[in-house]
Amino acid sequence: MKDELYPSMFWDSEETRHCRVQVQKPWSREEFWSYYFIRRISIYMSLLLTRKTRISPNAITMGGIVAGLLSAAAFMYGTAASFLLGCFFCQVCYLADCVDGEVARMRNQKSKGGEWLDIGLNYALYLVSFGVVYGIMDHHAMLGPWLLYLILLTIFAEILATNGSDLVFSRGIISHETVSMRKRSKWIDAFVFLFLTQTGYQLGVLVTAFLWAISGQMLFLLLWTFYHLFVGLARSMYKLKLNIKYVMPSLKEGGESDEGTAHGGRSGVTNQRAN
């Protein structure tokens, strides 16, 4: 069945295919860009690092965080060439986000520390989006402040909606609901990825940065960024709505059962190194 399909390449050995099933996600639970591109190559790097080195999953995550910060810095420089460099480091960040979890599962080295660093990697990706907006600001003095306010509001809402729900609600129920709706077909999944997700936005930044480098015009980059900022804010608001739906019963009951989690007690996170 399609839901049980795992990423693969035609030259994969039987051992590699078996390893994919053990450490990667099937199509029904994987993000479009990861399934069709990043996961196709990440398994080879994960196998190499596992067999030939002693590099820990946490070190890989730290490398991804550094790549994310370098990507944000490159975007903030604000030239077509620096935007292309920022796109490169951004993909390195995504690759590390896949490889760290695969290596952790291969070595059975899952840990709460790894989960914590994974959250840091997510924050680095938020900074990448901020870096894109900052890099555009110098070219559009009038629109710049509005873009800045919009990206800050979107980042705040996204952190509250995504990381907040993952920390509070067990079994990733919010994430499951938002992902399952896009997995009705590969075409819906592709459309949602390109026009409604952060990774789709980064792919568009790569394409529009090339157009900027060739033509000297960044209009397409500006329009693409404006569009995805509004989409990101709408996406975050929808996730917050789901959060509210699940938190309301506990509020009506007094919230006693979740009080420890909500006020700094033991976290409800159960998915170790989901990426």
Side-chain angles (χ1 to χ4, degrees):
M1 293 179 63
K2 183 190 294 185
D3 288 359
E4 298 172 345
L5 291 177
Y6 285 80
S8 65
M9 300 296 286
F10 68 89
W11 58 74
D12 281 352
S13 65
E14 193 64 32
E15 180 185 5
T16 302
R17 293 180 186 275
H18 175 74
C19 191
R20 288 186 185 276
V21 174
Q22 297 300 314
V23 303
Q24 293 185 334
K25 299 176 186 177
W27 178 83
S28 60
R29 295 191 294 113
E30 187 58 275
E31 197 269 341
F32 180 91
W33 186 248
S34 294
Y35 180 85
Y36 287 103
F37 295 95
I38 303 298
R39 293 287 187 187
R40 306 281 170 142
I41 62 174
S42 64
I43 191 70
Y44 306 112
M45 182 172 292
S46 299
L47 287 170
L48 178 66
L49 292 173
T50 301
R51 295 170 177 174
K52 302 296 184 179
T53 74
R54 295 184 179 181
I55 297 176
S56 68
N58 289 348
I60 298 169
T61 308
M62 287 296 299
I65 293 173
V66 171
L69 296 178
L70 289 174
S71 176
F75 284 131
M76 292 174 71
Y77 195 73
T79 66
S82 70
F83 263 63
L84 293 175
L85 184 62
C87 289
F88 168 76
F89 281 118
C90 186
Q91 293 307 312
V92 172
C93 183
Y94 281 127
L95 180 62
D97 197 25
C98 291
V99 171
D100 61 358
E102 292 174 4
V103 172
R105 286 185 283 275
M106 288 178 185
R107 293 178 175 171
N108 195 26
Q109 292 182 340
K110 302 175 183 178
S111 67
K112 291 294 183 181
E115 294 175 17
W116 177 68
L117 286 175
D118 260 352
I119 294 175
L121 187 56
N122 290 333
Y123 289 159
L125 289 172
Y126 294 145
L127 291 178
V128 168
S129 297
F130 177 84
V132 173
V133 172
Y134 189 91
I136 294 174
M137 283 179 58
D138 286 342
H139 300 271
H140 295 275
M142 183 177 296
L143 294 176
W146 295 104
L147 284 170
L148 184 61
Y149 297 148
L150 190 56
I151 187 61
L152 290 175
L153 178 60
T154 302
I155 289 175
F156 171 76
E158 185 73 21
I159 291 174
L160 183 61
T162 303
N163 292 96
S165 64
D166 288 345
L167 288 170
V168 175
F169 301 114
S170 62
R171 297 183 296 279
I173 193 167
I174 303 295
S175 299
H176 176 73
E177 285 203 14
T178 55
V179 170
S180 62
M181 287 185 288
R182 60 188 287 189
K183 291 298 182 177
R184 297 173 183 174
S185 79
K186 64 180 181 180
W187 298 109
I188 294 176
D189 195 30
F191 177 85
V192 170
F193 155 73
L194 186 59
F195 294 103
L196 300 177
T197 69
Q198 180 67 21
T199 46
Y201 169 62
Q202 291 298 334
L203 178 61
V205 169
L206 175 61
V207 174
T208 54
F210 268 115
L211 294 176
W212 181 13
I214 294 171
S215 67
Q217 300 294 324
M218 62 183 307
L219 177 62
F220 290 109
L221 174 60
L222 180 65
L223 293 175
W224 184 250
T225 298
F226 251 120
Y227 167 76
H228 264 281
L229 283 176
F230 283 110
V231 166
L233 185 59
R235 183 178 62 240
S236 301
M237 293 298 104
Y238 176 73
K239 289 181 181 180
L240 283 175
K241 178 183 175 182
L242 291 179
N243 276 264
I244 292 171
K245 182 174 74 171
Y246 284 103
V247 80
M248 283 305 294
S250 64
L251 292 177
K252 293 178 181 179
E253 295 169 3
E256 294 180 2
S257 60
D258 291 332
E259 186 175 354
T261 301
H263 294 87
R266 185 173 173 270
S267 172
V269 175
T270 58
N271 294 328
Q272 296 185 345
R273 283 197 175 273
N275 293 320

